[in-house]
Amino acid sequence: MYAIQGYLSYSLTYFYAICYGPRHAVNLQGRIMRLNHPSHTGSILIGLMIIAGLAACTGSTGAPVIGPQTGNVTEYALNSDPSTPSRPLGVAVGPDRNIWFTEFAADGIGVLNLSTLAVTHYPLPSAGSNPTHLAMGPDGRLWFTETGPMDPDPTDTGPNNLGQITSAGEISEIQLPVDDSDPTGITLGPDGNIWFTEAATGDVRRSTAEGSISDPIGTTTANSMPGAIMTGPDANLWFTESSSGIIGQTALSGTLTEFPLPDSGSSPTEITIGNDGNLWFSESQSSKIGRITTLGAITEFNTPTGSSVPEGMTLGPDCNVWFTETNANLIGRIDPAGNITEFTIPSANSQPVGITVGPDGNLWFAESGANQIAKLVPPAGSRTDCATVALPPVAKCQNAKVNTDPGSCTAATVSIDNGSFDPQSLAFSETVTPNGPYNLGTTSTTLVARRSPTIAAACTAEVEVDDSEAPKLTCPGAVVEECTSPAGAVTTLTPSATDNCPNLGIAQCAGSGGTFALGTTSVNCSVTDGSHNTSTCVTSVTVKDTTPPVISSLSASPAALWPPDHKMVPVTVSVAVTDTCDASVSSRCKIVSVSSNQRCDRNALKITGPLTVLLEADRDDGAARGYTIQVQCADASGNTATGSVTVSVPHDQGRGDDHDQGRYHDDHQRGFSRH
């Protein structure tokens, strides 16, 4: 019931202040004002609070006990100006092992240095934040709740944050997803995350060290106003429901169990673990101390002083449970059997609230009304078995970026630990969930540094697994093709490829399926995987031409020389030739030899050009003469074809048909040459 904003009527506020002290009056004002807002059903709660207040003022029905003992208490003033009270509420041991506290009225966090006894104040960034509870977090920082402003306007919600502060006083805030939810209790859960209650919404939520807030977990009874929360000995979260008179339990999975108290108006407020393995809690309106087993069995004990309004709870250095009595201005102690001893405080109406064990083995508590932090030394001869203050481990994570293991699409070994440690050098274990191997891409992981089933710290990080391994590419062997056209030959090349990860692209060779020109072409092949890794290799395509040209016809002009007047007659040979691979083969035809069937003078024939020759128009007296002209055509690759044509010198014009007058002979096709 810490710090809920608003105003109630003056008479009811005054009545409540008399019974429970100014702090509770302020809290009641705000809660009733908020619940009277059209968005809340406040009339029932107002009635319950009035009835509960009247019942509380009637006092306790417990058996008579010895009066309060004088407490060995030392008080430390927080400021010298009474007009600017800080109103300390929650107290906790910080990472520097000093006493830290929330300053509700001053919107700040304070620290009392145990070595110098100097007090330092750290104002919060958000005005009207009204911090209430604080606890060590998983990251070596103190976390605290900011309930919001005490403002008469119920529509002015103000800050609604979780806060963090380092031992150097560096502050950051995390805005909660629901406006005006009134975050109240806060604790480090058994999973290493921060758990907190929201009094206005009746919800329990969880935050990672990085500030990721969960959906509501274990929504409680309507208008239950959950308050303090802590990790129980069963590794569940236990919390008080002030308005409904219930002790709640939620598993990490969110499964909720509620245990109603005998008196629904008892207003359970704070809770702690006893050395007996049970949960102990304060009942502020019924002035009782309650005990609940992890199975839900409840026992209640009246405080010796009636209307004491017990609040803060802690396991003391002597292994008993200690608590503050806000209205009675006392510090109480209860042993496992339920025997209560009370200790006086020097300052009148100091309104003790939060309490904890300090690293010096003493009890430290906040005096909200006196604006002081006080120390109580347990009576001489007290046990000290539970005096050790064990801070949680500090989990430190960092994002990790690694490559896949060779030949695999996963990474088996990845570390996200960034120097997790235990502030007291105590042994702890580490687990990472999920554990490797990690798939390609990004995986959100959680590191938990655990010292016991209930003491742990967690942090989260991203594991990015990249694939930098190039595919394995095998090029086809060198290819030799026969040309099929003057352009070359159509050739298909098929490389093969494998990769460590799926989504391998198609292995391709440049120009595959197209026409490769005559000669040898170097061909680049490549393949790219889904992570843009590329492999290349080189092969070659050789297009050769081993097919000779085809001479389809030869003709000579003139084909017959007449008259045989011994003159030299120019003769031109025409060639019809084709080649599969050489369109210009005809330009490479030439006369390679000229022969005669008769003896003749060497000057009787003379090659004058590629396809021209001078032939003597002459013959022997007894027969016609025939000149055989042999022509060779060569393609660009050097393949040749030869043919011959005959030019005759007839015996006479009437017997010209007896000779091969201009007839074409394809010697290549016939398989011989005529000379």
Side-chain angles (χ1 to χ4, degrees):
M1 294 203 337
Y2 284 147
I4 312 300
Q5 303 80 21
Y7 284 93
L8 186 59
S9 67
Y10 177 81
S11 59
L12 182 56
T13 304
Y14 179 74
F15 167 81
Y16 203 70
I18 292 175
C19 285
Y20 296 106
R23 173 175 166 272
H24 282 274
V26 169
N27 294 340
L28 180 63
Q29 285 177 341
R31 177 49 56 194
I32 294 177
M33 187 63 182
R34 180 165 297 167
L35 294 175
N36 276 325
H37 190 258
S39 63
H40 298 281
T41 56
S43 58
I44 296 176
L45 183 57
I46 292 173
L48 288 173
M49 283 186 162
I50 293 174
I51 295 170
L54 291 171
C57 280
T58 62
S60 169
T61 59
V65 295
I66 300 174
Q69 300 181 18
T70 301
N72 184 359
V73 176
T74 305
E75 297 170 317
Y76 303 90
L78 300 184
N79 53 44
S80 58
D81 185 356
S83 65
T84 57
S86 69
R87 304 291 269 178
L89 293 181
V91 290
V93 176
D96 56 358
R97 300 182 68 77
N98 290 316
I99 302 300
W100 291 71
F101 50 92
T102 57
E103 298 185 278
F104 180 83
D107 290 333
I109 302 296
V111 57
L112 174 66
N113 188 301
L114 294 185
S115 298
T116 64
L117 300 180
V119 175
T120 304
H121 304 273
Y122 297 103
L124 298 180
S126 300
S129 57
N130 297 149
T132 59
H133 291 64
L134 74 171
M136 277 298 300
D139 50 2
R141 296 181 288 183
L142 278 164
W143 287 59
F144 52 91
T145 51
E146 298 180 25
T147 303
M150 290 175 56
D151 195 309
D153 181 1
T155 65
D156 184 3
T157 58
N160 196 63
N161 304 322
L162 295 184
Q164 305 157 306
I165 186 168
T166 68
S167 57
E170 298 168 345
I171 296 172
S172 58
E173 295 173 314
I174 301 168
Q175 186 173 359
L176 297 180
V178 178
D179 289 341
D180 204 22
S181 64
D182 287 354
T184 308
I186 190 167
T187 192
L188 182 59
D191 57 352
N193 294 310
I194 286 291
W195 290 70
F196 61 98
T197 59
E198 294 179 313
T201 62
D203 292 333
V204 175
R205 291 182 186 263
R206 177 180 60 217
S207 173
T208 66
E210 295 73 27
S212 176
I213 307 296
S214 72
D215 291 333
I217 297 174
T219 302
T220 61
T221 302
N223 299 321
S224 63
M225 288 178 60
I229 185 170
M230 73 168 308
T231 297
D234 55 353
N236 291 315
L237 280 303
W238 290 76
F239 55 96
T240 59
E241 298 181 40
S242 301
S243 179
S244 57
I246 289 173
I247 301 299
Q249 176 210 62
T250 181
L252 296 177
S253 63
T255 301
L256 174 69
T257 306
E258 293 180 310
F259 302 98
L261 299 181
D263 179 0
S264 62
S266 62
S267 188
T269 307
E270 300 295 324
I271 190 167
T272 192
I273 297 179
N275 194 49
D276 56 356
N278 296 315
L279 284 302
W280 293 74
F281 54 93
S282 56
E283 300 178 52
S284 61
Q285 296 219 31
S286 61
S287 294
K288 295 177 181 178
I289 300 299
R291 180 181 67 202
I292 184 170
T293 68
T294 55
L295 298 178
I298 296 171
T299 308
E300 296 177 310
F301 306 93
N302 292 314
T303 60
T305 300
S307 302
S308 63
V309 187
E311 288 224 9
M313 306 282 290
T314 190
L315 176 63
D318 57 356
C319 300
N320 294 313
V321 171
W322 291 71
F323 55 94
T324 58
E325 297 180 70
T326 303
N327 195 53
N329 207 47
L330 298 170
I331 302 298
R333 181 187 68 192
I334 185 169
D335 64 22
N339 300 307
I340 296 176
T341 305
E342 296 174 320
F343 298 89
T344 60
I345 297 172
S347 295
N349 197 31
S350 68
Q351 296 175 20
V353 195
I355 186 169
T356 192
V357 176
D360 57 355
N362 297 314
L363 281 304
W364 289 83
F365 56 96
E367 296 181 350
S368 181
N371 294 304
Q372 298 177 143
I373 295 296
K375 174 182 69 176
L376 186 152
V377 179
S382 297
R383 294 171 55 184
T384 58
D385 308 40
C386 301
T388 301
V389 175
L391 299 178
V394 176
K396 300 183 70 175
C397 288
Q398 62 181 350
N399 293 336
K401 185 176 182 180
V402 296
N403 291 326
T404 54
D405 296 334
S408 171
C409 199
T410 61
T413 304
V414 181
S415 176
I416 62 171
D417 190 289
N418 192 30
S420 301
F421 66 96
D422 189 275
Q424 294 162 282
S425 300
L426 299 175
F428 65 95
S429 63
E430 282 189 11
T431 57
V432 176
T433 305
N435 203 358
Y438 297 99
N439 294 326
L440 186 69
T442 300
T443 302
S444 180
T445 57
T446 300
L447 180 150
V448 177
R450 184 174 299 280
R451 201 164 62 231
S452 74
T454 58
I455 302 177
C459 56
T460 61
E462 301 291 330
V463 172
E464 179 183 335
V465 177
D466 297 330
D467 176 20
S468 63
E469 184 173 336
K472 292 180 173 59
L473 177 65
T474 302
C475 263
V479 176
V480 178
E481 298 276 10
E482 185 71 19
C483 66
T484 57
S485 74
V490 175
T491 304
T492 299
L493 301 170
T494 306
S496 62
T498 59
D499 194 40
N500 60 313
C501 287
N503 300 321
L504 179 64
I506 299 174
Q508 299 179 356
C509 293
S512 177
T515 301
F516 288 82
L518 278 168
T520 299
T521 302
S522 180
V523 179
N524 292 319
C525 303
S526 65
V527 65
T528 300
D529 64 19
S531 298
H532 308 292
N533 301 303
T534 299
S535 290
T536 61
C537 61
V538 178
T539 187
S540 64
V541 174
T542 299
V543 178
K544 62 180 182 177
D545 177 10
T546 62
T547 304
V550 175
I551 299 174
S552 58
S553 67
L554 283 172
S555 62
S557 179
L561 305 182
W562 192 263
D565 54 6
H566 304 290
K567 291 183 179 180
M568 300 297 290
V569 179
V571 176
T572 300
V573 178
S574 296
V575 183
V577 61
T578 59
D579 188 81
T580 302
C581 303
D582 188 355
S584 60
V585 64
S586 61
S587 66
R588 284 185 287 275
C589 294
K590 63 181 179 178
I591 298 171
V592 293
S593 68
V594 181
S595 61
S596 173
N597 61 348
Q598 295 179 349
R599 244 182 188 330
C600 58
D601 186 85
R602 60 183 300 178
N603 294 322
L605 50 88
K606 183 179 180 181
I607 298 173
T608 59
L611 293 175
T612 59
V613 64
L614 289 175
L615 299 178
E616 183 181 15
D618 195 10
R619 55 173 171 65
D620 291 341
D621 290 338
R625 176 179 291 182
Y627 291 104
T628 299
I629 303 171
Q630 190 175 47
V631 175
Q632 182 185 76
C633 293
D635 61 23
S637 299
N639 302 301
T640 61
T642 58
S644 61
V645 64
T646 300
V647 177
S648 66
V649 182
H651 180 270
D652 57 54
Q653 289 219 273
R655 297 180 60 193
D657 292 338
D658 295 340
H659 304 280
D660 293 333
Q661 297 180 3
R663 186 172 298 171
Y664 159 56
H665 303 277
D666 186 347
D667 295 337
H668 176 79
Q669 293 176 345
R670 291 168 177 259
F672 66 93
S673 298
R674 300 178 63 188
H675 298 284

